[in-house]
Amino acid sequence: MPFNKSSQYKFWFFDKEEKLLEIRKAINSSATDRILSYKSASPPKEGKKKKKDRVKQDDLLSVDDEYLILIKNIQKASLLCMRFNFPLHVEASAIMFFKRFFLGHSIMEYDISKIMLTCIYISCKAEDYYQDLSHFLAKVQEVTTAEVDPKEILKLELVVLQGLQFHMLVYHPYRSVFAFVHDPELTKSLRISSVNEIYEASKLIVRQSFLTDASFLFPPGLIALSSLHQCVVDDSSQQSILRYVQAKFGHQEQVTNSLNTIANMLQESKTKMGVDTSVIEKKFVKLRKIVSNQQKETEKENNKIAEKKEQERRDKKTEERSIKEEQDTKNLLG
Amino acid sequence: MSKRAAPMSEAEQIMDKENRIRKAILKDYNKTQQDFENLKEYNDFLEEVEDIIFNIVNDIDVEETQEKIREYRNKNKMQIARNRARKDEEVRRKKQLAEEEVRKQQEAEAEALNPTAAAQKQNVNTAFIPNNAPLVFAPQPVPKNQDAINAFMEFHNIKYQETQEQMQQRAKAGGYKMDYPLKRAEEEAFSTVILLQAN
């Protein structure tokens, strides 16, 4: 289907970077409100229980912290997929699902590494590269020595799918790169030794672009063009790319601006990757323990309430039934 | 037993049961007409077999009939083995004859298509037939298994080469053209660089 009618354009495409920042801030603030306002139903015991439940404002993550941890996990996912030799579009879909999910949810409230594995599993299914879950987790265990129970991934699967609003089809720049590289009008004017080289190099740059927000802001053809633009080192080739764009698409200025923006975003992401996140990660691990305990307790309480309701409903029904029987016997016996 | 698309109906189930039982019993009760002196005795034997099969299929006197079968088997072990060997021989001989016939027929066809032979039959000057080579559509020897094919190709140093055209033809038969991936990629690339804002 054409890109303008796809779910990616309708729901997961934004005009400005600021919009994305707004959304992330909103998610972060709602999550922090929920965590801070948690009051356990059971009375706090003396000493230990108090520490577990209470969260201070300093312990919470800011929007930037969240983003840094997100990028770290995207890198991990990318490395994992490369290690298992998954095809490029499987890896790309997994990363997109991951980013989209955490655009609508905060990382403080979900187990991020399990969600990452779930995203990879779902993307394998969506991109016709099905991996058996237990085999996949066994492979993961070999590489990362982290033992994950398949049941937990299956539980999270539906959560993630709901978070994605069941939009499984994602357009990646890889196909557009393929098309541009096979267009002789573009490649004959570039000073490159072989078309294969530039193809491989631009695929690497596309992979790096997944660490930025480019896929939310620019359509895949534009990202593909920008990756070619950045592959070619000398000026004359870059000019010839722009001339090609003018010849084929017109709007040269708009396209050039976008290409430059994407290049800047990539540079920024490189600097962000170099930032030391060990402090933030420790904070995050601590926070996650507390929050997951909170969530488990709320789940237990909700289960208890639900059970009580069920019991009441059953008692009511048996009462009604016994009343009915009495009436029936009365009617029969006159 | 191959899988069926729909479960068997009752009649089919009964038939299936009978066929299985029949097969098992006829393995043992395998006398042919040659083993009997006259037709009547042979017919009596056949009737006995049918009775046994009927009893077992319809669950009548199952124990008695099973005893019968066991007794028969113990008494006639030699006969049974001999008859089985005889039957295998016959099957093998028939197969050989069939293969020979097929071979002879192919040779005959090759002969018929040979232009020199055909031409000589018609008294045509054979000098005008180029190279006296066999025509292209003469039937090739049909190899019976993949090992023979591989051995043949290795011996004559032939590598299976498929021209581009042949590959395209094969793909087309499967409903796929080799330029689909490029066309799809081009469509996606050229339609997603500039997005016209739809109102």
Side-chain angles (χ1 to χ4, degrees):
Chain A
M1 71 168 97
F3 182 70
N4 348 20
K5 298 193 181 158
S6 66
S7 60
Q8 180 171 347
Y9 184 59
K10 284 187 194 168
F11 297 94
W12 300 101
F13 197 73
F14 305 94
D15 292 328
K16 302 177 202 157
E17 243 181 297
E18 291 87 32
K19 190 92 199 285
L20 281 176
L21 199 57
E22 270 180 41
I23 295 175
R24 289 201 174 115
K25 276 190 188 163
I27 299 287
N28 184 304
S29 61
S30 68
T32 50
D33 288 340
R34 245 172 292 161
I35 296 175
L36 283 175
S37 67
Y38 177 74
K39 286 178 196 156
S40 71
S42 50
K45 293 183 192 166
E46 298 165 10
K48 284 187 184 172
K49 185 99 184 206
K50 272 191 184 172
K51 261 193 190 171
K52 263 193 189 174
D53 276 353
R54 229 40 109 54
V55 181
K56 292 177 252 179
Q57 187 69 33
D58 296 340
D59 293 338
L60 296 166
L61 299 172
S62 67
V63 183
D64 297 321
D65 294 342
E66 285 195 344
Y67 191 65
L68 285 171
I69 294 189
L70 193 74
I71 293 188
K72 267 275 149 102
N73 277 282
I74 293 178
Q75 277 181 291
K76 278 191 209 167
S78 193
L79 284 172
L80 208 63
C81 292
M82 280 201 276
R83 185 69 155 66
F84 298 150
N85 280 326
F86 286 166
L88 286 172
H89 51 101
V90 170
E91 180 191 329
S93 280
I95 297 177
M96 281 309 291
F97 291 160
F98 192 62
K99 287 204 290 189
R100 284 182 184 183
F101 181 75
F102 283 115
L103 193 63
H105 304 77
S106 163
I107 67 169
M108 297 190 271
E109 303 193 299
Y110 293 91
D111 190 337
I112 198 168
S113 43
K114 293 215 177 91
I115 298 255
M116 174 184 90
L117 291 173
T118 320
C119 284
I120 300 180
Y121 179 58
I122 295 176
S123 117
C124 285
K125 283 202 238 184
E127 301 282 347
D128 297 333
Y129 198 73
Y130 178 69
Q131 300 284 309
D132 187 57
L133 187 56
S134 24
H135 290 174
F136 174 61
L137 291 176
K139 281 199 273 187
V140 168
Q141 192 177 349
E142 278 176 37
V143 176
T144 61
T145 66
E147 210 177 303
V148 184
D149 191 7
K151 285 186 203 162
E152 307 195 15
I153 304 282
L154 291 174
K155 266 194 236 171
L156 280 176
E157 198 179 345
L158 204 54
V159 173
V160 171
L161 285 173
Q162 272 183 316
L164 299 172
Q165 300 181 44
F166 294 92
H167 294 143
M168 303 276 92
L169 184 67
V170 188
Y171 287 81
H172 299 304
Y174 291 116
R175 225 177 247 131
S176 312
V177 168
F178 179 76
F180 285 130
V181 149
H182 279 80
D183 192 0
E185 294 178 33
L186 176 62
T187 51
K188 71 185 173 196
S189 55
L190 300 176
R191 283 209 210 122
I192 39 172
S193 43
S194 80
V195 169
N196 216 16
E197 261 185 47
I198 197 175
Y199 183 40
E200 297 295 323
S202 36
K203 281 199 279 192
L204 285 178
I205 296 193
V206 168
R207 184 188 251 145
Q208 282 173 23
S209 77
F210 285 121
L211 295 164
T212 67
D213 287 330
S215 21
F216 286 130
L217 303 166
F218 300 103
L222 207 50
I223 302 181
L225 268 181
S226 90
S227 72
L228 285 171
H229 187 85
Q230 289 170 51
C231 271
V232 198
V233 180
D234 56 311
D235 243 1
S236 68
S237 306
Q238 292 194 333
Q239 288 299 319
S240 44
I241 291 182
L242 296 174
R243 260 178 278 139
Y244 169 79
V245 165
Q246 175 63 26
K248 288 271 175 178
F249 305 108
H251 301 264
Q252 188 178 353
E253 233 189 81
Q254 183 189 345
V255 175
T256 342
N257 287 339
S258 316
L259 296 186
N260 290 332
T261 332
I262 298 177
N264 288 338
M265 283 169 90
L266 270 172
Q267 286 289 22
E268 273 184 37
S269 81
K270 281 189 189 163
T271 52
K272 276 194 182 167
M273 284 205 292
V275 168
D276 181 26
T277 54
S278 48
V279 176
I280 302 175
E281 280 179 26
K282 279 187 199 165
K283 225 165 109 178
F284 179 55
V285 168
K286 241 196 199 176
L287 180 64
R288 268 300 303 160
K289 273 192 196 164
I290 303 176
V291 174
S292 59
N293 280 334
Q294 287 179 355
Q295 286 176 333
K296 278 183 200 165
E297 288 203 17
T298 41
E299 219 187 290
K300 269 192 213 167
E301 284 176 27
N302 288 344
N303 282 348
K304 275 189 200 168
I305 296 173
E307 259 195 62
K308 263 192 190 174
K309 275 193 181 171
E310 261 297 308
Q311 196 61 28
E312 280 175 19
R313 197 180 60 90
R314 275 187 223 144
D315 293 339
K316 218 179 160 188
K317 270 214 162 171
T318 44
E319 257 195 67
E320 282 178 10
R321 218 180 290 154
S322 56
I323 293 175
K324 226 189 169 186
E325 274 182 32
E326 278 184 41
Q327 280 188 354
D328 284 345
T329 47
K330 270 193 194 167
N331 292 344
L332 278 176
L333 300 174
Chain B
M1 202 54 184
S2 55
K3 288 189 189 165
R4 290 168 62 99
M8 290 197 248
S9 64
E10 273 242 14
E12 284 172 319
Q13 277 178 341
I14 297 172
M15 214 171 71
D16 189 47
K17 182 178 175 187
E18 177 167 340
N19 283 342
R20 276 186 281 129
I21 291 172
R22 184 178 290 273
K23 237 186 175 179
I25 289 181
L26 286 176
K27 264 194 195 170
D28 293 331
Y29 283 84
N30 55 4
K31 292 189 187 170
T32 55
Q33 191 164 3
Q34 300 172 351
D35 297 320
F36 294 95
E37 293 180 358
N38 51 18
L39 187 61
K40 181 172 184 307
E41 286 186 17
Y42 182 50
N43 288 339
D44 287 339
F45 171 77
L46 290 176
E47 192 179 334
E48 202 188 309
V49 172
E50 291 299 322
D51 275 341
I52 291 175
I53 293 175
F54 184 81
N55 283 350
I56 296 192
V57 169
N58 297 307
D59 290 328
I60 305 170
D61 295 338
V62 181
E63 287 213 19
E64 282 187 34
T65 18
Q66 282 184 345
E67 262 289 329
K68 245 198 207 172
I69 299 173
R70 253 176 267 144
E71 265 190 57
Y72 178 86
R73 210 184 294 159
N74 288 335
K75 271 196 208 164
N76 307 345
K77 269 197 188 151
M78 292 284 293
Q79 268 277 24
I80 292 174
R82 215 183 310 152
N83 286 345
R84 277 204 199 141
R86 200 194 314 165
K87 196 167 164 212
D88 288 338
E89 260 291 334
E90 277 190 33
V91 168
R92 219 182 302 147
R93 212 180 302 152
K94 279 190 188 164
K95 228 183 164 181
Q96 267 190 3
L97 284 173
E99 285 176 3
E100 268 200 44
E101 269 200 37
V102 169
R103 205 171 40 83
K104 279 189 186 160
Q105 203 193 37
Q106 285 178 353
E107 283 180 10
E109 281 183 23
E111 279 272 333
L113 289 174
N114 191 348
T116 48
Q120 277 170 5
K121 274 193 195 162
Q122 296 178 22
N123 285 332
V124 171
N125 194 349
T126 54
F128 288 114
I129 297 173
N131 298 333
N132 270 348
L135 292 175
V136 179
F137 49 86
Q140 304 293 320
V142 177
K144 298 251 171 63
N145 53 13
Q146 192 63 28
D147 295 336
I149 300 174
N150 291 343
F152 183 78
M153 303 268 263
E154 249 189 64
F155 180 73
H156 293 276
N157 243 355
I158 305 170
K159 288 194 177 33
Y160 184 55
Q161 283 164 346
E162 204 178 30
T163 60
Q164 191 73 330
E165 205 186 290
Q166 284 175 324
M167 213 157 70
Q168 280 175 2
Q169 293 263 349
R170 260 201 307 144
K172 195 171 161 191
Y176 181 78
K177 284 198 189 150
M178 300 304 258
D179 55 354
Y180 283 167
L182 186 59
K183 279 200 176 156
R184 182 181 178 187
E186 274 180 10
E187 194 185 312
E188 201 178 298
F190 290 112
S191 68
T192 58
V193 173
I194 312 268
L195 290 178
L196 302 168
Q197 295 294 330
N199 286 327

